[in-house]
């Protein structure tokens, strides 16, 4: 088994390789505006560090969000393209699940909350019973609107760190890690667990809201004379 994981659902452009036993190499860069520019060089860097070629990969793991439209689709399209070219399966995992798994390796057992920055003064968030068990579906809300639901719980992720009045016990990790995401995927594969997408079907993105870009409503139609 050789899994290549990518995630661009957050400001982190993160890539990792996992051989079914351990992470072989990883790359993490924080730049919310350069997902498309940084992702492929990061893949090349990770493969080179591991001394492997892309055609050795037997599966692709991708974070499906929730995340902003533009950044998230970079990782999803790249993952689906690699999977199609290589003829290997692609496994979609919730990005928040990766952060939760990383929280477990940092010593947080649960219950706790994961929150990432959704911009517009909102967070993408979910509650977890433990680092491998999410409670319910991810959501996007203003922090003040979920204060009662997350009260008294530790919280991880950039979204939690941005709003200490709602998440007073905010901790690291701050950013997503493909190493954590692919480690979780390897565990699930070994256990025969289900993923966000059915086998052979490209994973669907968790946008949770409409994209910022919209078609103008009152644009002028220009016709040839």
């Amino acid at each position: 088994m050789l899994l290549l994981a990518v995630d661009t659902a957050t400001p982190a452009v993160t890539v990792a390789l996992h051989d079914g036993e351990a992470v072989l190499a990883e790359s993490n860069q924080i730049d919310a505006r350069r997902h498309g520019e940084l992702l492929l060089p990061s893949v090349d860097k990770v493969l080179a560090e591991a001394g492997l070629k892309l055609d050795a990969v037997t599966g692709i793991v991708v974070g499906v969000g929730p995340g902003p439209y533009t950044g998230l689709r970079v990782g999803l399209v790249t993952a689906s393209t690699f999977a199609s070219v290589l003829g290997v399966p692609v496994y979609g995992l919730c990005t928040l699940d990766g952060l939760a798994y990383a929280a477990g390796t940092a010593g947080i057992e649960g219950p706790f909350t994961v929150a990432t920055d959704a911009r517009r003064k909102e967070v993408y968030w979910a509650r977890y019973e433990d680092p491998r068990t999410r409670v319910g579906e991810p959501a996007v809300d203003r922090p003040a609107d979920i204060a009662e639901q997350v009260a008294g719980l530790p919280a991880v992720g950039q979204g939690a760190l941005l709003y200490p009045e709602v998440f007073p016990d905010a901790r690291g990790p701050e950013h997503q890690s493909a190493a954590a995401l692919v480690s979780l995927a390897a565990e699930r594969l070994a256990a025969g667990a289900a993923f966000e997408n059915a086998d052979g079907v490209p994973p669907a993105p968790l946008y949770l809201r409409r994209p910022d870009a919209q078609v103008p409503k009152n644009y002028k139609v220009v016709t040839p004379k």
Side-chain angles (χ1 to χ4, degrees), residues 46-61:
V46 165
L47 288 168
E49 184 177 330
L52 296 166
K53 300 291 186 181
L54 183 61
D55 59 9
V57 170
T58 61
I60 308 294
V61 177

Side-chain angles (χ1 to χ4, degrees), residues 1 31 46 48 61 71 76 114 145 176 183 185 212 225:
M1 176 190 297
D31 193 327
V46 165
V61 177
L76 285 165
V114 174
D145 294 341
Q176 171 67 320
S183 296
D212 293 328
K225 295 183 180 179

Side-chain angles (χ1 to χ4, degrees), residues 59-145:
I60 308 294
V61 177
V62 62
V64 301
Y69 179 80
T70 303
L72 177 53
R73 67 179 179 175
V74 170
L76 285 165
V77 170
T78 300
S80 294
T81 301
F82 281 162
S84 177
V85 169
L86 296 172
V88 300
V90 55
Y91 306 104
L93 284 176
C94 174
T95 295
L96 302 182
D97 290 356
L99 271 161
Y101 187 88
T105 63
I108 300 177
E109 296 182 356
F112 60 92
T113 302
V114 174
T116 60
D117 183 17
R119 306 173 188 171
R120 305 183 191 175
K121 298 182 179 180
E122 294 179 332
V123 293
Y124 297 117
W125 70 284
R127 287 184 54 173
Y128 288 79
E129 188 64 30
D130 58 58
R132 294 172 177 80
T133 309
R134 180 171 11 108
V135 180
E137 296 300 318
V140 58
D141 290 289
R142 289 184 177 273
D145 294 341

